[in-house]
Coordinates of all heavy atoms in Angstrom, one line a residue:
Q794 N 20.5 43.0 -33.0 CA 21.3 43.0 -34.1 C 22.0 44.3 -34.5 O 23.3 44.4 -34.6 CB 20.6 42.4 -35.4 CG 21.5 42.1 -36.5 CD 22.6 41.1 -36.2 OE1 22.3 40.1 -35.6 NE2 23.8 41.4 -36.7
P795 N 21.3 45.4 -34.6 CA 21.9 46.7 -34.9 C 22.9 47.1 -33.9 O 24.0 47.6 -34.2 CB 20.8 47.7 -35.0 CG 19.6 46.9 -35.1 CD 19.8 45.6 -34.6
L796 N 22.7 46.8 -32.6 CA 23.6 47.1 -31.5 C 24.8 46.3 -31.6 O 26.0 46.8 -31.3 CB 22.9 47.0 -30.1 CG 21.8 47.9 -29.9 CD1 21.0 47.6 -28.6 CD2 22.2 49.4 -29.8
A797 N 24.7 45.0 -31.8 CA 25.8 44.1 -31.9 C 26.7 44.5 -33.1 O 27.9 44.5 -32.9 CB 25.3 42.6 -32.1
Q798 N 26.1 45.0 -34.2 CA 26.9 45.4 -35.3 C 27.7 46.7 -34.9 O 28.8 46.9 -35.3 CB 26.0 45.5 -36.5 CG 25.6 44.3 -37.1 CD 24.7 44.4 -38.3 OE1 24.0 45.4 -38.5 NE2 24.6 43.4 -39.1
R799 N 26.9 47.6 -34.4 CA 27.5 49.0 -34.0 C 28.7 48.8 -33.1 O 29.7 49.5 -33.3 CB 26.4 49.9 -33.4 CG 27.0 51.2 -33.0 CD 26.0 52.1 -32.4 NE 26.7 53.3 -31.9 CZ 26.1 54.3 -31.2 NH1 24.9 54.1 -30.8 NH2 26.8 55.3 -30.9
Y800 N 28.5 47.9 -32.1 CA 29.6 47.9 -31.1 C 30.6 46.7 -31.3 O 31.5 46.5 -30.6 CB 29.0 47.8 -29.7 CG 28.3 49.0 -29.2 CD1 26.9 49.1 -29.3 CD2 29.0 50.1 -28.8 CE1 26.3 50.3 -29.0 CE2 28.3 51.3 -28.5 CZ 27.0 51.3 -28.6 OH 26.4 52.5 -28.2
G801 N 30.3 45.9 -32.4 CA 31.2 44.8 -32.7 C 31.3 43.7 -31.6 O 32.3 43.2 -31.4
V802 N 30.1 43.4 -31.0 CA 30.1 42.4 -30.0 C 29.2 41.2 -30.3 O 28.3 41.4 -31.2 CB 29.7 43.0 -28.6 CG1 30.7 44.1 -28.2 CG2 28.3 43.7 -28.7
E803 N 29.4 40.2 -29.6 CA 28.5 39.0 -29.8 C 27.1 39.4 -29.2 O 26.9 40.2 -28.3 CB 29.1 37.9 -29.0 CG 28.3 36.5 -29.1 CD 28.9 35.4 -28.3 OE1 30.0 35.6 -27.8 OE2 28.2 34.3 -28.2
M804 N 26.1 38.7 -29.8 CA 24.7 38.9 -29.4 C 24.1 37.6 -28.9 O 24.3 36.6 -29.6 CB 23.9 39.5 -30.5 CG 22.5 39.5 -30.5 SD 21.7 40.1 -32.0 CE 21.2 38.5 -32.7
L805 N 23.5 37.5 -27.8 CA 22.8 36.4 -27.3 C 21.3 36.7 -27.1 O 21.0 37.7 -26.5 CB 23.4 36.0 -25.9 CG 24.9 35.6 -25.9 CD1 25.5 35.6 -24.6 CD2 25.2 34.3 -26.7
V806 N 20.5 35.8 -27.4 CA 19.0 36.0 -27.3 C 18.4 35.0 -26.4 O 18.7 33.8 -26.5 CB 18.3 35.9 -28.8 CG1 16.8 36.1 -28.7 CG2 19.0 36.9 -29.8
A807 N 17.6 35.5 -25.4 CA 16.9 34.7 -24.6 C 15.6 35.3 -24.1 O 15.6 36.4 -23.6 CB 17.7 34.3 -23.4
D808 N 14.5 34.6 -24.3 CA 13.2 35.1 -23.9 C 12.6 34.0 -23.0 O 13.0 32.8 -23.0 CB 12.3 35.4 -25.1 CG 11.0 36.1 -24.7 OD1 10.9 36.7 -23.6 OD2 10.0 36.0 -25.5
A809 N 11.6 34.3 -22.2 CA 11.1 33.4 -21.3 C 10.5 32.2 -22.0 O 10.6 31.1 -21.5 CB 10.0 34.1 -20.4
S810 N 10.0 32.4 -23.2 CA 9.4 31.4 -24.1 C 10.5 30.4 -24.5 O 10.2 29.2 -24.9 CB 8.6 31.9 -25.2 OG 9.5 32.7 -26.1
D811 N 11.7 30.7 -24.5 CA 12.9 29.9 -24.9 C 13.2 28.9 -23.8 O 14.0 28.0 -24.0 CB 14.1 30.7 -25.2 CG 13.9 31.7 -26.3 OD1 13.1 31.4 -27.2 OD2 14.5 32.8 -26.2
G812 N 12.8 29.2 -22.6 CA 13.1 28.2 -21.4 C 14.5 28.3 -20.9 O 15.2 29.2 -21.2
D813 N 14.8 27.4 -20.0 CA 16.1 27.5 -19.2 C 17.3 27.4 -20.2 O 18.3 28.1 -19.8 CB 16.2 26.2 -18.3 CG 15.2 26.4 -17.1 OD1 14.7 27.5 -16.8 OD2 15.0 25.3 -16.5
A814 N 17.3 26.7 -21.2 CA 18.5 26.5 -22.1 C 19.1 27.8 -22.5 O 20.3 28.0 -22.6 CB 18.2 25.6 -23.2
A815 N 18.2 28.7 -23.0 CA 18.7 30.0 -23.5 C 19.4 30.8 -22.4 O 20.4 31.5 -22.7 CB 17.6 30.8 -24.2
F816 N 18.9 30.8 -21.3 CA 19.5 31.5 -20.1 C 20.7 30.9 -19.5 O 21.6 31.5 -19.2 CB 18.4 31.8 -19.0 CG 17.3 32.7 -19.5 CD1 16.2 32.2 -20.1 CD2 17.5 34.1 -19.4 CE1 15.1 33.1 -20.5 CE2 16.5 34.9 -19.9 CZ 15.3 34.4 -20.5
D817 N 20.6 29.5 -19.6 CA 21.9 28.8 -19.3 C 23.1 29.1 -20.3 O 24.2 29.2 -19.8 CB 21.6 27.3 -19.3 CG 20.8 26.8 -18.1 OD1 20.6 27.5 -17.1 OD2 20.2 25.7 -18.2
A818 N 22.7 29.3 -21.5 CA 23.8 29.7 -22.5 C 24.3 31.0 -22.2 O 25.6 31.2 -22.3 CB 23.2 29.6 -23.9
I819 N 23.5 32.0 -21.7 CA 24.1 33.3 -21.4 C 25.0 33.2 -20.1 O 26.1 33.7 -20.2 CB 22.9 34.3 -21.1 CG1 22.2 34.7 -22.4 CG2 23.5 35.6 -20.4 CD1 21.0 35.5 -22.1
A820 N 24.5 32.5 -19.1 CA 25.4 32.3 -17.9 C 26.6 31.6 -18.2 O 27.7 31.9 -17.8 CB 24.5 31.7 -16.9
A821 N 26.6 30.6 -19.1 CA 27.7 29.8 -19.4 C 28.8 30.5 -20.2 O 29.9 30.3 -20.1 CB 27.4 28.5 -20.2
A822 N 28.3 31.6 -20.9 CA 29.2 32.3 -21.8 C 29.9 33.5 -21.0 O 30.7 34.2 -21.6 CB 28.4 32.9 -22.9
A823 N 29.5 33.7 -19.8 CA 29.9 34.9 -19.1 C 30.7 34.5 -17.8 O 30.6 33.5 -17.2 CB 28.7 35.7 -18.7
T824 N 31.5 35.6 -17.4 CA 32.1 35.6 -16.1 C 31.2 36.5 -15.2 O 31.0 36.1 -14.0 CB 33.5 36.2 -16.0 OG1 34.3 35.4 -17.0 CG2 34.2 36.2 -14.7
V825 N 30.7 37.5 -15.8 CA 29.8 38.4 -15.1 C 28.6 38.7 -15.9 O 28.7 39.0 -17.1 CB 30.5 39.8 -14.8 CG1 29.5 40.8 -14.1 CG2 31.7 39.7 -13.9
V826 N 27.4 38.6 -15.3 CA 26.2 38.9 -16.0 C 25.6 40.1 -15.3 O 25.3 40.1 -14.1 CB 25.2 37.7 -15.9 CG1 23.8 38.1 -16.5 CG2 25.7 36.5 -16.7
V827 N 25.3 41.1 -16.1 CA 24.7 42.3 -15.6 C 23.3 42.4 -16.2 O 23.2 42.5 -17.4 CB 25.5 43.6 -16.0 CG1 24.8 44.8 -15.5 CG2 26.9 43.5 -15.4

């Protein structure tokens, strides 16, 4: 959250306990994932 505010960017949260859906959301929102 503090980094997203500092840089004025969107923040996406995904942990292994969140399962596939959280990581699918990251991939779907991106052209490039680093």
